[in-house]
Amino acid sequence: MIPAAHVLAVDLGGTGSRAALEPLDAAFGSRRRVLEGGRVAVASAGSTVLDVAASLIAAARAEWPDVAIAAVGVGATGLASLVADPDAALARLADVAGAPPASVVLAVDALTAHLGALGGRPGAVVAVGTGAIALGTDLDAVWRRVGGWGHLWDDRGSGVWIGIEALKAAIRTHDGVTTEAAALLRAAERRFGPAPSWPGELLTRADRAGVIAGFAPEVAALGADGDAAASAIMRTAGCEVAATLVAALDPGLPRLASWTGGVFGAGGEYSAAFEAEFARLAPDAELQPPQGTPLDGAVHLARLAAGGALHAAHPPFLWR
């Protein structure tokens, strides 16, 4: 019996990664099998994104050895700026997957987020997890990226941005400059240890972005409980993300937008500020709830590759 063809999708981020396997001829999302993987780190030697992808694909092949892979779709953080040779990366991942090289597709995480949220329709999507990036595209002629430059100077409104802003406020209170962030200081010291140890504990870690982003849910919880400093951070974060999304609404696109990413799970003041600021900045645009997740978008990407619907690469967003 010839095994049924499947597609394999991989979603890689700073706080974790996942692989999804689906039959090619099944309804989207049905009979899906999922594996969890590690998070992407960035150090002096570069990003570990390809190592994490290869490891997760190898784990999927080991878990489901008898499955025929028709296509692989990979959405990865930091791909546009931290992977030197995407073509070599494609060959490596195809070899690990045992899939035809021509049917392996590598995309920035903003593209798989876009496919998941809008289901392939043109418009703009902002993805907010560890980092934050927006993409406005019609998957053809228009490709507009906003944000995603990394936590040292960008990722406005993201998990790592919220964590950094909270630590900055906590340090000011620790140093006696203000008294406003006492609750944030206590929470940060519970998570990361005494404040004087933070530079040694955090700055030296290759996965510091993901680690610091892990503090964002506690900041959101403090804000929801009425802490003024945490509330201000969450409101500002929501406004920053809205501005990033509006900037991705290229004039060549329909005025349609959506969002995705774990930080939106904070809800409350973050989501309220995001929606209000988006409406203020783009009153003529339609903001729709996401149809699916970035992992759904990676599955969508793999299905497009399997069906021959992707006719050309679009570096630095899509390689095949």
Side-chain angles (χ1 to χ4, degrees):
M1 179 178 177
I2 299 175
H6 286 65
V7 292
L8 182 65
V10 179
D11 175 43
L12 304 163
T15 53
S17 58
R18 295 181 297 164
L21 185 77
E22 284 191 15
L24 180 58
D25 60 356
F28 179 81
S30 67
R31 296 159 57 195
R32 178 180 295 183
R33 289 174 276 182
V34 177
L35 281 180
E36 301 289 333
R39 63 185 170 207
V40 174
V42 180
S44 57
S47 172
T48 64
V49 64
L50 294 180
D51 293 331
V52 174
S55 176
L56 192 51
I57 292 172
R61 296 304 294 140
E63 182 76 11
W64 306 300
D66 298 327
V67 168
I69 303 295
V72 181
V74 180
T77 183
L79 190 63
S81 53
L82 294 174
V83 176
D85 190 347
D87 291 330
L90 283 169
R92 176 184 177 187
L93 298 182
D95 183 61
V96 175
S103 63
V104 178
V105 186
L106 193 57
V108 294
D109 55 347
L111 178 54
T112 46
H114 193 288
L115 288 169
L118 288 181
R121 291 175 296 166
V125 172
V126 64
V128 190
T130 299
I133 186 170
L135 178 64
T137 185
D138 58 2
L139 305 178
D140 182 21
V142 178
W143 298 83
R144 177 169 175 77
R145 164 193 164 177
V146 180
W149 295 98
H151 65 279
L152 290 181
W153 40 67
D154 187 38
D155 286 336
R156 302 175 298 273
S158 69
V160 68
W161 185 95
I162 290 168
I164 289 172
E165 291 300 307
L167 290 176
K168 286 163 60 177
I171 287 168
R172 287 194 293 271
T173 291
H174 175 273
D175 286 352
V177 177
T178 72
T179 59
E180 297 169 357
L184 286 171
L185 177 60
R186 289 192 295 272
E189 290 196 318
R190 283 195 301 270
R191 174 172 279 266
F192 302 117
S197 73
W198 295 349
E201 290 295 323
L202 296 175
L203 295 180
T204 58
R205 295 188 62 141
D207 61 349
R208 60 187 171 273
V211 171
I212 295 171
F215 187 42
E218 293 182 56
V219 181
L222 284 171
D225 287 341
D227 181 75
S231 293
I233 290 170
M234 296 307 295
R235 288 194 302 272
T236 303
C239 290
E240 291 284 359
V241 170
T244 295
L245 178 57
V246 170
L249 276 171
D250 189 272
L253 295 173
R255 303 290 282 176
L256 176 66
S258 188
W259 69 90
T260 191
V263 178
F264 282 98
E269 292 179 305
Y270 180 88
S271 293
F274 166 73
E275 293 174 8
E277 184 70 356
F278 182 88
R280 185 184 74 83
L281 294 174
D284 61 331
E286 180 182 1
L287 185 63
Q288 290 188 353
Q291 290 183 209
T293 67
L295 185 61
D296 294 326
V299 172
H300 191 133
L301 183 67
R303 288 181 177 274
L304 289 174
L310 295 174
H311 302 296
H314 292 276
F317 303 100
L318 175 69
W319 295 264
R320 58 160 307 163

